[in-house]
Structure formats: C-alpha cells, structure tokens
C-alpha cells in the first residue's frame, strides 16, 4: 500500500507539472490570436484617423505575438504540433506583412489607397487561417489535458482500491493474530490447570508418605 501511494504521489507531481505546462501553451496560443486582433485594431485606428499615435497598440501587439510564438517553439516537443506552429508563425508573419503594407500605403498614399489594399480580403483570409490553426493547436492541447486527467483518475482508483485491500488485509491479519493468541492463551491455561492438578496430587502423595 505504501509503495502504491508513494508512486501515485510522484506520478501526480509529474501530471500536475504536465497539466500546468499544457495550460501555459494554451494561454500562449490564445495570446498570439488576441495580439494579432489587437494589431488589426491598432492598424484600423491609424487608417481611419491617420495619426501615428494610433499605431502604438499595433507595434506592441506585433512584438508580443512574436515573443509568444518563440516561447511556444521552446515549449512544444510534439513534431506534428511543431509543424502546425510553424504554419501559424508563417500565417502571422504574412498577416503582419499585409498590415505593414496597408499602414505604409496609408502614410504615403492616403485613405483611399489603403482602402484599395484592404478590399481584396487577403487580410481577412489570413486571419481566418490564423484562427483555424490556433484552434487546432488548442484542441490538441485539450486532448493532452483529457489524457492526463484520465490517467490521474485511473491512478486515483488504483490508490483507492489498494488502500481498501490493504485495510482488509490488515483486518484479516489482526483477526488471525487474535485467534492465534487466543488459542495460545487457552493452551497455556490448560497446561497451567494440568500443572496445578499434578502439584496437588504430588502434595497428597507427600502427605501420605
């Protein structure tokens, strides 16, 4: 029982770390998606107003999204997920390239020129692909979480049954031990009675002698 419980404790520590890591990866993926949307909002504000101050959210969002992607690369070990992450990184860079192009056109050619670049819908298609790829990666992480939680549930059941079985074995051992001691005590009392009776007979014979 002790071995099972100790093993479960070490396994739980590993599972907890893996669950925490998976949640961190999901958080980073959501951060990438959110920051690209923030970059789009910053670009949209600049296109409408034309003031450089509106580009501050865009610059910060772009840098943060790239930092999150780099961190994700260092945290992912699965080859398939690494490939999907590389695809996501390419899509994000393409989206930022389109955003940069529109911003540059707005600064040099005005609102109508920037609007002409937006109308074909390339940016919208890239954003749809980014959302889909991010969603696929998050779904893969959720499957990992489900697997980890299922393993933990099985381990908990094993510990529970081990403890129940251990208690039953301890109770059986206690009962058997009690029966052995009781039998030994009864035999000892019987021997004591026989010795007492023999001593009494010896005393009677001594008196007669």
């Amino acid at each position: 029982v002790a071995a099972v419980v100790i093993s479960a404790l070490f396994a739980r520590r590993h599972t907890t770390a893996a669950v925490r890591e998976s949640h961190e990866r999901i958080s980073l993926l959501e951060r990438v998606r959110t920051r690209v949307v923030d970059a789009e909002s910053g670009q949209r504000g600049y296109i409408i107003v034309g003031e450089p101050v509106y580009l501050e959210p865009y610059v910060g969002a772009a840098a943060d999204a790239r930092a999150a992607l780099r961190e994700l690369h260092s945290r992912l070990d699965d080859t398939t997920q690494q490939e999907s992450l590389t695809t996501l990184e390419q899509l994000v860079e393409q989206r930022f390239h389109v955003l940069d192009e529109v911003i540059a056109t707005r600064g040099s050619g005005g609102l109508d020129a920037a609007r002409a670049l937006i109308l074909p819908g390339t940016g919208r298609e890239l954003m749809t692909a980014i959302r889909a790829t991010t969603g696929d990666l998050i779904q893969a992480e959720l499957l990992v979480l489900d697997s980890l939680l299922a393993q933990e549930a099985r381990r908990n059941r094993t510990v529970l049954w081990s403890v129940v079985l251990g208690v039953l074995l301890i109770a059986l051992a206690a009962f058997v031990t009690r029966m052995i001691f009781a039998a030994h005590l009864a035999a000892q009392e019987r021997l004591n009675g026989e010795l007492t009776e023999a001593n009494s007979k010896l005393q009677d014979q001594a008196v007669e002698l």
Side-chain angles (χ1 to χ4, degrees), residues 168-184:
L168 292 175
L169 288 174
I170 290 169
L172 178 62
F175 177 75
V176 171
T177 303
R178 182 178 181 278
M179 294 300 294
I180 290 172
F181 281 142
H184 179 70

Side-chain angles (χ1 to χ4, degrees), residues 103-120:
I103 288 170
T105 302
R106 174 67 175 88
S108 60
L111 179 60
D112 291 336
R115 185 172 178 274
L117 284 178
I118 295 172
L119 285 177

Side-chain angles (χ1 to χ4, degrees), residues 10 16 32 36 58 60-61 64 67 70-71 73 81 85 95 105 115 133 152 165 169 180 186 188 197 200 204 208:
F10 279 106
T16 301
V32 170
V36 174
Y58 167 77
D64 193 34
R70 287 194 299 271
E71 189 171 351
H73 268 298
Q81 286 182 296
L85 184 60
R95 183 65 185 119
T105 302
R115 185 172 178 274
T133 307
E152 187 64 23
L165 180 60
L169 288 174
I180 290 172
Q188 191 68 36
E197 185 179 354
S200 179
D204 292 341
E208 291 175 1

Side-chain angles (χ1 to χ4, degrees), residues 25 29 40 66 69 109 126 132 134 141 143-144 153 164 172 181:
R25 290 194 291 265
L29 287 165
E40 287 184 332
R66 291 183 173 109
L69 285 167
L126 286 170
T134 307
E141 289 297 330
L143 291 175
V144 170
V164 170
L172 178 62
F181 281 142

Side-chain angles (χ1 to χ4, degrees), residues 84-143:
S84 298
L85 184 60
T86 300
T87 300
L88 176 62
E89 194 170 27
Q90 292 170 352
L91 289 169
V92 169
E93 288 302 326
Q94 289 174 24
R95 183 65 185 119
F96 283 139
H97 175 73
V98 172
L99 291 172
D100 287 338
E101 188 177 6
V102 173
I103 288 170
T105 302
R106 174 67 175 88
S108 60
L111 179 60
D112 291 336
R115 185 172 178 274
L117 284 178
I118 295 172
L119 285 177
T122 304
R124 184 177 65 254
E125 293 173 359
L126 286 170
M127 195 61 211
T128 300
I130 288 170
R131 287 193 177 96
T133 307
T134 307
D136 290 342
L137 284 164
I138 291 175
Q139 186 60 36
E141 289 297 330
L142 291 176
L143 291 175

